[in-house]
């Protein structure tokens, strides 16, 4: 589906579904870009669609029908900050229904001058996901960025170099908008 035989980072995320007997795979696929990617949570709806959430350092992470199509920090010349992501795979595992970054900027200026390989700064990361009967995904995690996207938030935007914050986000059924 996504790069099933082409690992690009040192660590790519993957999703695998077993047949009901558990004897063989229904599908297995990689999900990632040229840097490290990890799925930290998975949920499955009544139709068998898989919802995954995690963290990526890849600016070229695959996006589709995204509410955030560009990774925060992706345009900084020396930035490879992490970002949370959320994605929905079809029940057959052969299609990405939606996939989006979910994160903000970690540094207000260049994080560090990089010589050689890019440093990877931990930023926003998703560690939990649930889906309701209507198909809304609920994602939880840690927001380390000062520009984490806030919609109908109960708190103010944090400043650079402050403590980590927890986040809860509700994703539209289509994946194209962040509801809160």
């Amino acid at each position: 589906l996504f790069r099933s035989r082409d690992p690009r980072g040192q660590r790519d995320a993957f999703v695998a579904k077993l047949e009901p007997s558990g004897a063989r795979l229904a599908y297995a696929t990689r999900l990632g870009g040229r840097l490290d990617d990890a799925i930290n949570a998975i949920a499955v709806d009544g139709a068998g669609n898989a919802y995954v959430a995690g963290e990526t350092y890849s600016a070229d992470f695959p996006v589709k029908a995204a509410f955030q199509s560009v990774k925060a920090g992706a345009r900084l010349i020396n930035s490879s900050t992490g970002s949370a992501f959320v994605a929905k795979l079809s029940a057959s595992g052969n299609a990405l229904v939606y996939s989006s970054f979910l994160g903000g900027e970690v540094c207000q200026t260049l994080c560090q001058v990089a010589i050689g390989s890019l440093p990877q700064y931990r930023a926003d990361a998703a560690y939990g996901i649930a889906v309701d009967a209507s198909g809304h995904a609920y994602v939880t995690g840690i927001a380390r960025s000062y520009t984490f996207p806030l919609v109908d938030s109960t708190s103010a935007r944090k400043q650079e170099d402050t403590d980590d914050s927890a986040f809860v986000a509700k994703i539209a059924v289509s994946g194209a908008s962040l509801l809160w």
Side-chain angles (χ1 to χ4, degrees):
L1 170 60
F2 303 106
R3 288 185 180 95
S4 61
R5 295 190 177 141
D6 182 22
R8 298 187 59 203
Q10 292 179 357
R11 187 176 76 157
D12 277 346
F14 75 94
V15 179
K17 178 181 178 180
L18 295 174
E19 292 289 342
S21 68
R24 59 186 201 118
L25 288 173
Y27 70 81
T29 186
R30 291 181 191 266
L31 180 59
R34 74 176 184 88
L35 296 176
D36 291 349
D37 315 286
I39 292 173
N40 298 326
I42 187 166
V44 180
D45 67 16
N49 298 298
Y51 297 74
V52 295
E55 58 191 297
T56 180
Y57 295 90
S58 303
D60 63 343
F61 189 86
V63 293
K64 180 177 182 180
F67 57 86
Q68 184 181 339
S69 60
V70 176
K71 182 176 151 298
R75 295 197 171 108
L76 294 176
I77 59 171
N78 67 349
S79 177
S80 60
T81 59
S83 178
F85 72 84
V86 59
K88 178 182 176 181
L89 286 72
S90 67
S92 62
N94 64 358
L96 188 60
V97 178
Y98 67 76
S99 178
S100 183
F101 292 107
L102 175 57
E105 297 289 347
V106 174
C107 305
Q108 292 182 1
T109 59
L110 296 178
C111 292
Q112 170 183 329
V113 176
I115 299 173
S117 64
L118 294 173
Q120 293 185 354
Y121 293 95
R122 291 191 58 91
D124 306 318
Y127 291 106
I129 191 165
V131 60
D132 66 19
S134 299
H136 296 99
Y138 298 84
V139 181
T140 62
I142 296 174
R144 295 180 176 101
S145 64
Y146 69 94
T147 60
F148 189 86
L150 301 179
V151 178
D152 291 337
S153 178
T154 59
S155 65
R157 190 164 307 283
K158 69 185 233 171
Q159 301 299 314
E160 186 176 28
D161 297 329
T162 60
D163 294 333
D164 298 345
S165 299
F167 74 83
V168 178
K170 181 178 181 182
I171 314 302
V173 174
S174 67
S177 63
L178 185 60
L179 300 178
W180 50 263

